[in-house]
Amino acid sequence: MTDLPRPANENLTRDEAAARSRLLRTHEYSVDVDFSRAADSAADTYPVRTRITFDAEAGASTFLDYLGAQVTSITLNGREVDAASAVDGARIALGPLAEENEVVIESASIYSTSGEGVHRFVDPADGATYLYSQNEPVDCRRIYPCFDQPDLKARFHVTITADAAWHVASNGALLASHAVGDGVARREFAVTAPMSTYITTFLAGPYATWHDEYTGRTASGVEVAIPLGIACRASLAPAMDADEVFEITKRGLDWFHRAFDVAYPWGKYDQVFVPEYNLGAMENPGLVTFTERYVFTSPATEAQHEQRANTILHEMCHMWFGDLVTMVWWDDLWLKESFADYVGTLAVDEATDFTTAWTTFASRRKAWAYRQDQYPTTHPIVADIVDLEAADQNFDGITYAKGASVLKQLSAFVGQDTFLAAARAYFAKHAWGNTTLDDFLDALGEASGRDMRGWADAWLTTAGVNRLRVETTVSEGVIAAAVLRQDGVDPRTGDEVLRPHVLRVGVYAPTDDEGPAEFEAGFEVRIDGASVEVPELVGVAADHAVLPNDGDLTYAKIAQDPHSLDVVLDAGLDDELARATGLAGAWNMVRDADLAAERFVDGVVAGEYLIEDSGVLAQVLAQATAGLAAYTVASARQELLARWVAFLVDAVLEDPSPSDRRTVLLRTLFAALGEQRAPVEPVLEVVRAWIDDADMALGEELTWDAWVALAAHGLADEAELRAAQSAAPTAVSATGLTRALAARPDAAVKDAARDAAYTGRGADGAVLSNDHLQATIDGLEIDPTGVGAGHEAEYWGRIEGVWAAQSQGQATRVVTGLFPSGAEHSDGDAERHPFVVEARSWLSSRAEAPQALRRIVIERLDELERRLRAQAASA
């Protein structure tokens, strides 16, 4: 694979993009890529011919973005330009410009193994080669020269030359295929509607395909007919449940046509599931790409099917929010991602047969947001994105899940019908254009009849999480007075942040049979300050549990009073969403060192049989494992983990038939075994027996989780692991093998895995793909014996080199995954622990380090300090 250093000028700034936008108006790109040698492993690059027409200020100069291997010729308005002098790192200088311009560039671009640009994958099952592209936020410039910023939209005319037997696709419909050599054909695709560069897409390979058609109508009666397609690798075709995917797609299109009243504007609607994807999915119009983890080759829970449906409808929402109307710059990334996260979940809830979309959202998505929003690096939903490195890191829990949570609160504030009416007006006014926050607020204000600036200032331009709690005064066994209070600070400044909330306070009554507390009443409460009285609670029996934010309408942590917390953890609540909300609040208390991890785990053990949603069950079981592994004192940890593992084993044995519950328990057990030191051999003997037990029906993913657990404890050697992978050579088994080999308890093995991560190369010198780099890091970090510890100094000495040498996506994996995090309170508290001191020293001495790199270190340090505070509270 061709190696190129990261050029200093690849980090485009917002100011540069704005200046270029004022200067230019782009019209059309003609992009001709040649993948005819893609199956040749020696061919690291592919030829590209790019023609761009655009208007400009006469006499001015500008630049194109490009991160390719070579530029062989440049022609500007019929005049040859010296490529050697025009190309400077990630930029190609153009000038002087005319009012109307045409530039033609011949170049060679690099096949990717990191999921950035055109990714090339060789299927271990059959040796077939697959290509796909991923461009967001600015990796389009790795494929062809372009003005790679969202507000310079254009029409795209794409041609792709590739193996004549391959399935080849792009955003537009296939118009023609022409033979251009022995077994090679050139495909021409329809010119697209105006769109941004980051959603152009290229696909080629022997993909298996399925076809269908959608017919429907918008709310105003416009008839719509859309060709539908699905594709995945040929070796995965037996596992592709195309009927379910098509059904979700059709229901989603029906829902969006009713809700938005704008016909799907992009022609065909293809969905392809691709290997080694570094995202969940991407909203390329006409050709949406998804991780092939959504092609279930192992037992999949109802929650996994629901998550896939959520992702399908999230990306579908982008066809309007993001693709039809696009943000001007990445500051307003939330204008597409927050909306798609909220509206996609709403669509799953209203358009599909899945009934737990909001429960999963409360438990899983919001946990991501709460964690991200408490870092010192938190940011408002409308962020200050000064450059591309910052943009790349703002695809985070705030932009997605907090923004979605706030939009759910907005819908409660103004009403769902008003929210959707604002969306329809927004599309009508700004179709094919670019927008900012003010544009949506204008639409919302017109639809609601309210000035929404105050709401936006409180929710969209501030940072941090509010905390809600109900304080009661009890007299003679009943509540005599009740007050709902909120507090909150901006983690960056320490300033108080209070917001307007519309929420419900729920009351749950104990039962005589010691079953879960039953919902008795709920009261809407509006708070727009530090406190508000809740008179509806007066007279409620003191033995009832009170749940702030019942129904999960707002975005806030909840601090439950001791009695209500005990009810949540011991008896449970009879409503699934309330149970998820209460447990999420308890987990936040663990992370805040207000509740011992052991107490949370006791509650999980007591109530796991109540949890029907397999997504919530997976979340709380994973939190329990993480709490025991990180937030307990070292002297007690192994005994606690042993009890936890014993509980999980017993729970699996009590549920011998395949089920969602057993699948989740097995995943949790195998992960927990990676944390426990001893005694585990009797358990691992049971695990080994399960691998060959047909009745267990583990499937390949759980089988490799089991192999990793065995390897981590020295009970599976290299030969045995390689034999297992050779017996079933798939993408899952290949990464499973990488993870298992790196997990072995041998200092030399750990040293080799660590070096592979830092260099981005395997033992054979080959560049590690994104999946195999992540698998190496994951296996390295599974270290129950501690044999890989003691390399903190190496980390601080190497991370800047990693950042300079690897792409930002790959470097982020390394810097995040190898951060020295295994601190113990016995070696120092959150102020004086050596790991804390070293991290703070690096930060103080590296003020000029890339801000994106510093952000990762700051966030990992915050997690480290949180770990030590929780251990102190547990001591």
Side-chain angles (χ1 to χ4, degrees), residues 775-787:
T776 299
I777 294 169
D778 291 345
L780 173 62
E781 294 302 296
I782 299 172
D783 190 18
T785 65
V787 71

Side-chain angles (χ1 to χ4, degrees), residues 380-558:
I381 294 171
V382 180
D384 181 25
I385 304 300
V386 298
D387 56 32
L388 295 182
E389 284 199 350
D392 196 57
Q393 291 202 322
N394 267 44
F395 289 80
D396 60 15
I398 296 171
T399 300
Y400 283 77
K402 179 181 179 179
S405 303
V406 168
L407 291 176
K408 185 180 182 184
Q409 169 65 184
L410 171 63
S411 193
F413 189 71
V414 302
Q416 184 175 311
D417 290 345
T418 298
F419 176 86
L420 293 176
R424 291 191 288 270
Y426 177 76
F427 298 139
K429 184 174 182 178
H430 300 289
W432 313 112
N434 296 82
T435 58
T436 65
L437 166 64
D438 287 342
D439 296 309
F440 185 74
L441 291 180
D442 288 344
L444 190 60
E446 291 174 9
S448 67
R450 307 183 191 187
D451 183 352
M452 300 302 299
R453 306 292 169 179
W455 181 90
D457 287 343
W459 277 108
L460 302 179
T461 64
T462 61
V465 186
N466 294 119
R467 181 178 59 171
L468 299 173
R469 66 189 186 279
V470 174
E471 295 181 353
T472 59
T473 301
V474 175
S475 176
E476 298 181 355
V478 299
I479 296 174
V483 177
L484 175 68
R485 300 190 187 278
Q486 74 159 315
D487 57 64
V489 297
D490 184 330
R492 304 166 302 171
T493 64
D495 294 340
E496 183 180 52
V497 176
L498 301 179
R499 300 186 177 99
H501 300 265
V502 178
L503 62 124
R504 189 174 72 179
V505 174
V507 177
Y508 290 80
T511 58
D512 294 335
D513 61 1
E514 297 184 354
E518 297 177 345
F519 176 77
E520 186 171 278
F523 314 107
E524 182 181 285
V525 180
R526 292 179 178 249
I527 183 171
D528 193 7
S531 65
V532 65
E533 293 184 359
V534 189
E536 295 90 344
L537 288 176
V538 173
V540 171
D543 65 349
H544 287 36
V546 176
L547 181 66
N549 200 25
D550 190 29
D552 195 46
L553 294 178
T554 195
Y555 173 78
K557 296 192 299 181
I558 59 172

Side-chain angles (χ1 to χ4, degrees), residues 217 238-239 324 374 419 451 481 579 628 690 707 852 865:
R217 61 182 65 238
L324 177 66
Q374 293 176 85
F419 176 86
D451 183 352
R579 191 158 48 244
L628 292 177
W690 286 343
W707 278 121
E865 293 169 335

Side-chain angles (χ1 to χ4, degrees), residues 708-865:
V708 170
L710 293 169
H713 289 277
L715 297 181
D717 62 21
E718 181 175 0
E720 187 175 19
L721 294 169
R722 291 192 181 279
Q725 197 276 328
S726 296
T730 68
V732 170
S733 68
T735 53
L737 175 64
T738 298
R739 188 161 48 106
L741 291 174
R744 290 173 295 159
D746 181 289
V749 166
K750 296 295 186 184
D751 289 346
R754 191 177 304 104
D755 189 65
Y758 282 132
T759 62
R761 293 180 176 274
D764 59 358
V767 174
L768 293 173
S769 71
N770 51 337
D771 271 12
H772 282 268
L773 176 61
Q774 190 63 58
T776 299
I777 294 169
D778 291 345
L780 173 62
E781 294 302 296
I782 299 172
D783 190 18
T785 65
V787 71
H791 296 270
E792 295 79 24
E794 181 180 10
Y795 176 88
W796 298 114
R798 297 191 71 165
I799 56 174
E800 288 174 282
V802 168
W803 199 263
Q806 299 191 36
S807 71
Q808 185 169 345
Q810 297 291 79
T812 295
R813 296 174 189 272
V814 177
V815 177
T816 301
L818 270 59
F819 183 88
S821 58
E824 302 296 351
H825 182 256
S826 56
D827 296 325
D829 62 16
E831 293 296 324
R832 293 182 292 274
H833 193 282
F835 289 5
V836 173
V837 173
E838 289 169 352
R840 290 177 178 171
S841 175
W842 186 91
L843 287 166
S844 66
S845 64
R846 300 297 197 284
E848 301 306 315
Q851 290 303 301
L853 172 59
R854 286 179 54 84
R855 172 175 169 170
I856 296 172
V857 173
I858 291 168
E859 291 177 358
R860 293 307 95 200
L861 171 60
D862 185 78
E863 292 282 2
L864 179 62
E865 293 169 335

Side-chain angles (χ1 to χ4, degrees), residues 27 153-156 192-196 199 266 285 323-324 326 432-433:
H27 294 297
K153 290 186 170 183
R155 298 180 183 274
F156 289 83
T192 70
M195 64 185 194
S196 303
I199 47 178
W266 301 102
D323 293 356
L324 177 66
T326 312
W432 313 112

